[in-house]
Amino acid sequence: MHDLTERRKALAQTTLPTPNRTRVFTVSNQKGGVGKTTTTVNIGAALAKAGARVLVIDLDPQGNASTALGVDHHAEVPSVYDVLIDDFPLADVVQQSPEFPTLFCAPSTIHLAGAEIELVSQVAREHRLRTALEQFIEDAEEPFHYVLIDCPPSLGLLTINAFVAAKEVLIPIQCEYYALEGLSQLLSSIQLIQRHLNPGLSVSTILLTMYDSRTNLAQQVAQDVRDHFSGQVLDSVIPRAVRISEAPSFGQSVISYDPTSLGAVSYLEAAAEIAKRWAAKESSSETEPTDPNHPEGVSH
């Protein structure tokens, strides 16, 4: 408990740097049940709580991110479906979340379940979200600092649209057996997207979720992931916590549901790390001489 109090104090004294360009993340893992939607919602809420302007795009037909952010998403509500299929401007479907004044959500509705099939015949079907998002960012009266896209746990046209629209991939990995299974498939898919549709895409962030420090297995999985992806794994880990699981049933993120809980503090720390790593990378790239053979960092 003393440790948690110290962590809360440290967060209270932290001011997060805001990026000078909109950072667009796809939160993705083809494996289900790894905390993907939970991570999207809580990282978004944590960044918004720190003062950043954040848009969460719910691309999962189940609409769990929309529910957790307290945003209306019944069948008649204009949604991401209308953006992808009927060319609605994204601004026409975005709603402000009641959580924080700077947190917004483009909701999913049940119609999105049929969008995979309908997209097949659309012109520029892989680029439809990217086109809409670029227009939205350009037209926004105030700049958005972060866009987080929550995908379904499959590599269909919805997820491909997310990968094409994004510049960064955030992969949540649960600290359980089989955690790395399927990850090589996901990374292969990302490489295909890089090669053919979005050369600027990169796996910038990996977050360990559902961590139980009491088990040797969780510690071993965490170590394996850090060994494989040393530069991308955040130091912050998300524990198994009841409050994180409870929050969506109240239409809230854990950040607003119980801001002093272990789960909320862990997500606030992860969000701070995401913001600070970018700022450190940007400042070092400004001071270093340009190497023509070295690809530029992730930008948008």
Side-chain angles (χ1 to χ4, degrees):
M1 194 65 192
H2 175 71
D3 175 51
L4 186 58
T5 304
E6 292 303 313
R7 288 163 66 184
R8 288 187 197 125
K9 281 182 186 171
L11 282 167
Q13 293 164 4
T14 300
T15 304
L16 296 197
T18 48
N20 52 11
R21 290 161 284 176
T22 308
R23 295 179 68 185
V24 184
F25 286 88
T26 286
V27 184
S28 184
N29 193 327
Q30 284 157 276
K31 195 168 173 3
V34 300
K36 190 164 44 64
T37 298
T38 303
T39 292
T40 306
V41 165
N42 288 305
I43 292 291
L47 290 166
K49 184 179 184 182
R53 280 173 62 81
V54 181
L55 171 64
V56 172
I57 298 178
D58 191 352
L59 266 195
D60 190 334
Q62 294 181 69
N64 293 336
S66 307
T67 300
L69 291 174
V71 166
D72 194 12
H73 62 105
H74 62 77
E76 285 71 44
V77 169
S79 71
V80 178
Y81 171 85
D82 301 291
V83 174
L84 294 174
I85 304 301
D86 296 324
D87 293 318
F88 271 45
L90 194 53
D92 288 0
V93 310
V94 167
Q95 300 179 42
Q96 186 177 36
S97 168
E99 296 243 324
F100 299 103
T102 57
L103 182 58
F104 299 83
C105 177
S108 156
T109 59
I110 194 64
H111 298 304
L112 207 54
E116 296 271 5
I117 297 165
E118 293 179 69
L119 276 168
V120 171
S121 59
Q122 297 278 350
V123 176
R125 60 191 183 183
E126 297 96 349
H127 291 82
R128 296 182 75 79
L129 182 61
R130 178 177 188 153
T131 302
L133 181 57
E134 285 177 346
Q135 193 63 55
F136 174 80
I137 290 170
E138 190 179 317
D139 294 345
E141 290 181 11
E142 291 183 65
F144 274 82
H145 301 110
Y146 298 92
V147 176
L148 300 166
I149 308 171
D150 186 35
C151 308
S154 62
L155 194 74
L157 276 169
L158 290 175
T159 302
I160 290 171
N161 261 271
F163 280 139
V164 173
K167 289 293 183 187
E168 301 182 60
V169 182
L170 191 167
I171 304 177
I173 298 179
Q174 88 281 36
C175 296
E176 294 181 356
Y177 198 56
Y178 295 136
L180 295 174
E181 191 176 86
L183 192 60
S184 59
Q185 186 188 353
L186 175 63
L187 295 173
S188 298
S189 302
I190 291 169
Q191 285 175 347
L192 280 172
I193 301 287
Q194 287 170 326
R195 200 172 304 134
H196 299 289
L197 294 166
N198 184 4
L201 187 67
S202 102
V203 178
S204 68
T205 311
I206 293 174
L207 178 63
L208 295 165
T209 63
M210 303 182 187
Y211 182 76
D212 186 346
S213 59
R214 298 169 300 178
T215 68
N216 290 333
L217 177 63
Q219 294 173 28
Q220 185 59 54
V221 170
Q223 193 55 55
D224 287 349
V225 175
R226 292 192 191 284
D227 290 345
H228 278 87
F229 307 100
S230 58
Q232 294 119 304
V233 185
L234 297 180
D235 295 331
S236 310
V237 296
I238 308 303
R240 280 198 171 279
V242 174
R243 287 286 188 262
I244 293 175
S245 307
E246 283 178 353
S249 63
F250 292 89
Q252 290 179 284
S253 70
V254 75
I255 307 301
S256 57
Y257 174 64
D258 190 352
T260 61
S261 67
L262 176 61
V265 168
S266 300
Y267 269 117
L268 287 162
E269 288 171 340
E273 206 175 332
I274 287 170
K276 288 175 179 175
R277 281 190 176 196
W278 168 270
K281 190 173 169 184
E282 286 291 277
S283 62
S284 67
S285 65
E286 283 169 14
T287 55
E288 288 172 6
T290 305
D291 179 354
N293 299 312
H294 192 277
E296 287 186 14
V298 179
S299 65
H300 187 80

